[in-house]
Amino acid sequence: MFKEQLRKSAMDKFVAYTKKYTSLDEKELREMLDHIPMSFFSKGTILIRQGEVPEKCFFILEGCARKYSVDEEGREVTSDFMTENQTIAIFSPVDREGSPYSVSCLEDSIMVVGNLAEIEDENKRYPEFAEISQKIVEENMGSLQDEFASFIRLTPEERVKRMINMRPELFERVPQYQLASYLGITAESLSRIKRRLEYEDLKLVD
Amino acid sequence: MFKEQLRKSAMDKFVAYTKKYTSLDEKELREMLDHIPMSFFSKGTILIRQGEVPEKCFFILEGCARKYSVDEEGREVTSDFMTENQTIAIFSPVDREGSPYSVSCLEDSIMVVGNLAEIEDENKRYPEFAEISQKIVEENMGSLQDEFASFIRLTPEERVKRMINMRPELFERVPQYQLASYLGITAESLSRIKRRLEYEDLKLVD
């Protein structure tokens, strides 16, 4: 597809998604969203670098990104995957130096990009968009609360089951060792658990 | 202390804390905060009930609260502790029925209370307070991202060490079985790890 078509298709999905957060009708919503800048990023692009102060935040229209950090001992840990209709924002405490995470694109992606330094001016210019963004951030925070609570509660096998139910597309879109890291287990455990679950599934089908 | 004195002392701390989030000077800040309602809650009060749609959000001036849920099998899991200068807010996706968590006071507490239904009107009435709240929510979201990422990365013993460094007061303020649940371990493991760390500490002192 050409970029203009990709842009149009991404915009259609964005309109469908944001509708529930606003009292604007579809025509007004489209007119407003036409002013919102959208960018294309190639697979592998690093959007935020660990140790640097983030200057931008993102909302994914199409694509997939990974949040990860490397600790003092050089271990890389994946702490989130973001896909369509999710935000990428490192909310640093005001006095914090740099981002504790990097975020990179796992796929070619189309995103809405916000400049953090201008966000207050932007919010004044597009108050309806500010309201939509605020609700999306709150919804993202709700999901983060849920993910964390379930992570504490569940055994590794239950975590894999939950992911199969809640975000099955990640198994296709994401390298398995990164998925394992996010689930707090080794890549070997992940494939063992998947095999066992597939076997149980086969027995159910029989 | 009498309630009025408690209120005054809580307000002083609130002013000191919110200063960094606003360009108002201390006098203006105090005048604005004087309009913000504050409530007292006794130890044991349930602020939000699992299964019910939350109507309020809270900001803790003094005190301690616990977020927890009971799953289908009756297991209770603690997923957060909130103390001074933290918010209590269940950000439910718009279409969600009720809160997946309960929140109750572990101590007598003083809190700022917001009615979720009126929050948009309140934000218009006190735009500077809306800005402060927004920044506090973002900072809370940053902490939640950090907590989750570290939970994934760390072993149980490392989680206990991190808590000793980051939130040592919780060991005094919170029942140990709830702390253990939050750390994803049994109460027995928690006291074993604590004993081991104390022993190592003793050796260091020698």
Side-chain angles (χ1 to χ4, degrees):
Chain A
M1 271 203 283
F2 294 101
K3 276 200 171 176
E4 200 34 55
Q5 280 169 295
L6 278 173
R7 199 191 124 85
K8 209 188 150 304
S9 128
M11 181 58 91
D12 288 345
K13 286 186 206 162
F14 194 34
V15 168
Y17 179 72
T18 47
K19 250 188 207 168
K20 63 178 167 182
Y21 296 111
T22 177
S23 53
L24 298 180
D25 67 27
E26 184 164 330
K27 190 164 164 289
E28 293 166 319
L29 186 58
R30 269 183 196 279
E31 277 168 11
M32 184 190 67
L33 294 180
D34 267 342
H35 296 283
I36 306 297
M38 229 180 246
S39 299
F40 293 80
F41 297 100
S42 312
K43 180 174 171 173
T45 305
I46 295 184
L47 302 170
I48 293 171
R49 257 175 227 282
Q50 187 173 356
E52 294 180 8
V53 177
E55 291 174 357
K56 291 179 176 162
C57 59
F58 307 85
F59 178 85
I60 306 181
L61 298 171
E62 294 274 356
C64 179
R66 176 172 76 107
K67 192 175 101 186
Y68 59 98
S69 58
V70 179
D71 70 11
E72 310 84 54
E73 284 136 52
R75 288 180 298 184
E76 184 189 282
V77 178
T78 296
S79 50
D80 212 356
F81 295 103
M82 289 77 73
T83 54
E84 285 77 14
N85 300 328
Q86 290 189 293
T87 48
I88 301 173
I90 307 297
F91 292 105
S92 306
V94 254
D95 47 348
R96 184 190 280 168
E97 292 286 297
S99 166
Y101 314 102
S102 293
V103 178
S104 70
C105 295
L106 289 178
E107 300 173 356
D108 291 345
S109 303
I110 311 178
M111 304 195 190
V112 174
V113 185
N115 275 305
L116 293 172
E118 294 159 20
I119 220 105
E120 282 172 31
D121 293 341
E122 290 291 311
N123 284 349
K124 273 171 204 152
R125 206 179 321 165
Y126 304 112
E128 291 91 353
F129 189 69
E131 214 182 302
I132 292 173
S133 310
Q134 170 70 5
K135 286 182 185 154
I136 291 174
V137 167
E138 286 175 5
E139 187 164 316
N140 280 198
M141 176 127 172
S143 308
L144 189 66
Q145 287 178 335
D146 292 352
E147 285 307 310
F148 191 10
S150 83
F151 194 94
I152 295 176
R153 192 178 70 236
L154 302 177
T155 63
E157 177 156 336
E158 289 168 331
R159 283 179 209 152
V160 176
K161 276 189 191 166
R162 181 179 152 94
M163 177 145 288
I164 292 171
N165 286 325
M166 306 283 280
R167 306 184 75 183
E169 82 287 358
L170 284 185
F171 287 93
E172 309 298 326
R173 296 175 78 169
V174 159
Q176 299 302 292
Y177 78 94
Q178 295 176 356
L179 202 56
S181 170
Y182 176 62
L183 292 165
I185 55 180
T186 62
E188 293 69 37
S189 298
L190 176 57
S191 54
R192 201 166 45 241
I193 292 171
K194 274 169 63 187
R195 271 201 308 276
R196 192 160 58 228
L197 292 175
E198 274 160 10
Y199 179 72
E200 284 173 12
D201 222 32
L202 278 176
K203 282 205 296 189
L204 278 177
V205 174
D206 271 356
Chain B
M1 273 201 282
F2 294 101
K3 276 202 172 175
E4 199 36 53
Q5 282 170 292
L6 278 172
R7 199 190 123 86
K8 210 190 147 304
S9 128
M11 180 59 90
D12 287 344
K13 287 188 206 160
F14 194 33
V15 168
Y17 179 74
T18 47
K19 249 188 208 171
K20 62 177 168 183
Y21 296 111
T22 176
S23 53
L24 298 180
D25 66 28
E26 185 163 331
K27 189 164 165 286
E28 293 167 320
L29 186 58
R30 268 184 196 280
E31 277 169 14
M32 183 188 71
L33 294 178
D34 267 341
H35 296 284
I36 306 295
M38 232 181 244
S39 298
F40 292 81
F41 298 100
S42 311
K43 181 176 170 170
T45 306
I46 295 184
L47 302 169
I48 293 171
R49 260 175 222 282
Q50 186 173 355
E52 293 180 9
V53 178
E55 290 173 358
K56 290 175 176 164
C57 59
F58 308 84
F59 178 84
I60 307 180
L61 297 172
E62 293 273 356
C64 179
R66 177 174 75 109
K67 194 176 100 185
Y68 59 98
S69 58
V70 179
D71 69 12
E72 308 84 53
E73 283 135 54
R75 289 181 295 185
E76 184 189 281
V77 178
T78 296
S79 49
D80 213 353
F81 295 103
M82 288 78 70
T83 54
E84 287 78 13
N85 300 327
Q86 290 190 290
T87 48
I88 302 174
I90 307 297
F91 292 105
S92 306
V94 255
D95 46 350
R96 183 192 279 167
E97 293 286 299
S99 167
Y101 314 101
S102 292
V103 178
S104 70
C105 295
L106 289 178
E107 300 172 357
D108 292 345
S109 304
I110 311 178
M111 304 195 191
V112 174
V113 185
N115 276 306
L116 293 173
E118 294 159 19
I119 220 105
E120 281 172 31
D121 293 342
E122 289 293 311
N123 284 349
K124 274 172 204 150
R125 205 176 323 163
Y126 304 112
E128 291 91 354
F129 189 70
E131 215 182 301
I132 292 173
S133 312
Q134 169 71 6
K135 285 183 187 155
I136 291 173
V137 167
E138 286 174 6
E139 187 163 316
N140 281 199
M141 176 126 171
S143 307
L144 189 66
Q145 287 178 335
D146 291 352
E147 283 308 309
F148 191 10
S150 82
F151 194 94
I152 294 175
R153 191 178 70 234
L154 301 177
T155 64
E157 177 158 335
E158 289 169 331
R159 283 179 209 152
V160 176
K161 276 189 191 167
R162 181 179 153 92
M163 176 146 288
I164 292 172
N165 285 325
M166 305 284 281
R167 307 185 73 183
E169 81 287 358
L170 285 183
F171 288 92
E172 308 299 325
R173 297 174 78 169
V174 158
Q176 299 302 294
Y177 77 94
Q178 294 174 356
L179 202 55
S181 169
Y182 174 62
L183 292 167
I185 57 182
T186 63
E188 293 71 34
S189 298
L190 176 57
S191 53
R192 201 165 44 238
I193 291 171
K194 273 169 63 187
R195 271 201 307 278
R196 192 160 56 225
L197 292 176
E198 274 159 12
Y199 179 71
E200 284 174 11
D201 225 28
L202 280 177
K203 283 202 297 186
L204 278 177
V205 173
D206 273 354

